Amino acid sequence: MQASTYAIKASVCFDARNRRRACVLAAGFANTRSVALNCNFTSNNSICMRDMGMKLTRATQGVETLFRSTVKPRSVKAQASAGDIEEATPFKPQAKKSSGVVLPFVGVACLGAILFGYHLGVVNGALEYLAKDLGIAENTVLQGWIVSSLLAGATVGSFTGGSLADKFGRTRTFQLDAVPLAAGAFLCATAQSVQTMIIGRVLAGIGIGISSAIVPLYISEISPTEIRGALGSVNQLFICVGILAALVAGLPLAGNPLWWRTMFGLAAIPSILLALGMGLSPESPRWLFQQGKKSEAEKSIQTLYGKERVSEVMLDLTNAGQGSAEPEAGWFDLFSSRYWKVVSVGAALFLFQQLAGINAVVYYSTSVFRSVGIESDVAASALVGAANVFGRKNLLTFSFTGM
C-alpha cells in the first residue's frame, strides 16, 4: 500500500480583545510519516492502518483542545493537505460597501450634461420657425450666427469652469453656472430680435461650457473607486440624452409654429433644478481636503459612503496628496516635448469627431430631411437622436464606413 503524509494547517486567528494574533499551527502527526513508511514493510495492513488512525485521532483532539483554550477566534480554517505546512494569510474583515447613495447626487450633476445636449439640439427643429418669426428666413448667415454663437460661449465657459471650481468649490460653481443657463434660456424664449437671440445663445453657451468642465470632475470625485469608471462615462451618455430630449420637444412644432419659444424656455427648468439640487448635495471630499477642511471632508464622505468608510477614504486622500510631488503644470507645458504626444492624441480625437460630421446632423438634420421631401422631418431627427443614444457603436461604425 502506498501511504500519504498528512498535515494540518490552521489559519491565523485574530484576538479582537487584546489586538494580538493567536497562531495555531499543527504540524502534526510527527510519527505519521514513520508509521506510513512502515506500512510498506509489514504484512498486517489492518494493524498498520489502525495505528495510523489512532495517531491521527490523538493529534486532532490536541488541536481542538488548543483551539478551545484560546479566546474565541474570529475565523478558523483547518485544511488537511499533503506536503509542507504553509502559514495562512490573516483574515481582514471587509466593510460593507454601498455605492447606491451617491447615485442621486450623480443624477443632479448630470442635469448639467443634459442641458449641454439640450442647448446643442434645441436649435435643430426650431431654426426654421424662429428664423421666420425674427424675420431672417432668407438670411442664412444670421441663422448660422444663432447656431454657432452657442459654441463661442461654450469656449469661454470651458476655460473658466475649472478655475471657478477650484476657487469656489464644485457645488457652488454648479449653482453659479445655473445663472447663465437659466438667463440664456429666458432670453432665447422671449427674444424679439436677432441680437437678443444671439446674446441668449452666448449665455447658454457659457453655461454649458462650464458644465462640460465640472460635471465629469464632480462625478469622478464623489464616485467610489469600484464604480468610478462606469459613473464617469454617464456624462457623455446624458449629453446625448439631452440632444434627444431637444429633438423630441420639437414634435409639436408642425401644429404650433410658436412652439419654438417654449422649447427654449423649457431649458430653464433643469437649470433651476440643478441649482436647488446642488444646494442639497455634498461638496467634493477631495476639494474640501485640499482646502484643509478635513472635518467637513469627513462629513461629506459619511454622506456619500457611510461613516464606516470615512477613515479609509481619508487615508486615500492623504496618500494621494503626498504622492503629488511634481509642481503644477502651466498652459505652455502642453506644448513641451514631454506632453506633446498626449496632447496630440487628445486633440486628434476631437478633430476626427468633428470631421465625422456629427455637428451637421445635430444642428441641421431637420432641414436636411425636409429638403429631401420627408414630411415628418422633426420626427425623423428624433429617430436619429434615439440612435445616437441607444446604438452609438453601430452608428459610428457605419458612418465612418460610409465616409
Side-chain angles (χ1 to χ4, degrees):
M1 182 189 75
Q2 181 66 38
S4 301
T5 304
Y6 292 90
I8 288 182
K9 66 177 181 181
S11 65
V12 176
C13 303
F14 189 74
D15 182 355
R17 177 180 300 177
N18 298 315
R19 310 298 294 176
R20 60 183 176 81
R21 288 198 228 167
C23 295
V24 181
L25 191 62
F29 317 138
N31 298 327
T32 305
R33 177 178 292 274
S34 61
V35 174
L37 292 175
N38 290 336
C39 289
N40 293 328
F41 303 103
T42 180
S43 60
N44 195 340
N45 290 336
S46 62
I47 297 176
C48 175
M49 295 302 295
R50 183 182 61 193
D51 292 341
M52 286 184 65
M54 293 174 62
K55 292 182 179 295
L56 286 169
T57 301
R58 286 197 297 269
T60 303
Q61 291 174 349
V63 172
E64 291 176 351
T65 302
L66 180 58
F67 280 157
R68 287 194 297 268
S69 64
T70 60
V71 180
K72 183 179 180 180
R74 188 180 298 270
S75 173
V76 176
K77 181 176 80 172
Q79 176 183 352
S81 62
D84 297 330
I85 299 166
E86 301 174 355
E87 183 178 355
T89 304
F91 173 77
K92 294 182 179 180
Q94 296 291 331
K96 184 179 179 181
K97 297 182 179 181
S98 175
S99 56
V101 71
V102 305
L103 296 181
F105 307 122
V106 171
V108 172
C110 284
L111 288 173
I114 292 175
L115 284 166
F116 189 109
Y118 190 90
H119 281 290
L120 286 178
V122 70
V123 76
N124 189 318
L127 184 60
E128 179 191 6
Y129 299 91
L130 71 86
K132 291 180 179 179
D133 202 9
L134 298 179
I136 57 171
E138 303 299 327
N139 194 333
T140 56
V141 174
L142 287 180
Q143 292 180 30
W145 273 104
I146 291 175
V147 172
S148 59
S149 57
L150 179 82
L151 300 180
T155 303
V156 176
S158 63
F159 280 109
T160 59
S163 300
L164 291 173
D166 288 339
K167 183 175 182 179
F168 298 108
R170 301 357 179 184
T171 55
R172 183 62 59 84
T173 302
F174 271 112
Q175 293 177 315
L176 293 174
D177 185 34
V179 175
L181 286 171
F186 176 78
L187 288 178
C188 289
T190 59
Q192 300 298 326
S193 65
V194 176
Q195 292 79 4
T196 304
M197 189 72 190
I198 291 177
I199 292 173
R201 292 283 285 173
V202 170
L203 287 175
I206 292 174
I208 67 172
I210 296 174
S211 295
S212 69
I214 61 175
V215 170
L217 176 65
Y218 180 73
I219 291 176
S220 65
E221 290 184 346
I222 68 169
S223 300
T225 54
E226 59 269 17
I227 58 171
R228 184 170 297 160
L231 292 182
S233 65
V234 302
N235 175 54
Q236 183 62 36
L237 174 63
F238 276 95
I239 290 176
C240 297
V241 170
I243 295 174
L244 176 60
L247 295 174
V248 172
L251 292 177
L253 279 169
N256 182 8
L258 293 179
W259 180 256
W260 70 268
R261 295 186 180 275
T262 304
M263 292 171 61
F264 282 97
L266 287 174
I269 297 176
S271 304
I272 296 172
L273 292 178
L274 178 64
L276 295 176
M278 279 298 160
L280 302 175
S281 300
E283 182 56 81
S284 162
R286 182 175 180 271
W287 183 80
L288 291 171
F289 185 85
Q290 291 175 340
Q291 302 300 311
K293 302 176 180 180
K294 295 185 177 181
S295 60
E296 295 182 28
E298 291 177 351
K299 293 179 181 178
S300 178
I301 295 170
Q302 183 173 341
T303 301
L304 291 168
Y305 316 128
K307 61 181 179 180
E308 66 275 1
R309 297 191 65 181
V310 171
S311 58
E312 172 192 346
V313 178
M314 288 295 291
L315 179 61
D316 291 341
L317 292 175
T318 302
N319 293 336
Q322 294 174 349
S324 57
E326 293 189 5
E328 186 175 350
W331 284 104
F332 290 103
D333 291 324
L334 294 175
F335 304 99
S336 64
S337 58
R338 180 178 183 182
Y339 301 112
W340 75 268
K341 289 184 178 180
V342 176
V343 174
S344 300
V345 171
L349 288 174
F350 280 97
L351 176 64
F352 289 129
Q353 181 188 43
Q354 302 308 309
L355 293 179
I358 186 61
N359 280 349
V361 176
V362 170
Y363 298 135
Y364 299 108
S365 63
T366 300
S367 299
V368 172
F369 286 131
R370 186 185 308 112
S371 66
V372 297
I374 297 178
E375 295 182 1
S376 302
D377 46 8
V378 179
S381 294
L383 291 177
V384 173
N388 192 37
V389 173
F390 301 108
R392 301 181 62 202
K393 181 179 179 181
N394 293 332
L395 183 64
L396 185 66
T397 302
F398 291 133
S399 64
F400 275 106
T401 302
M403 286 188 293

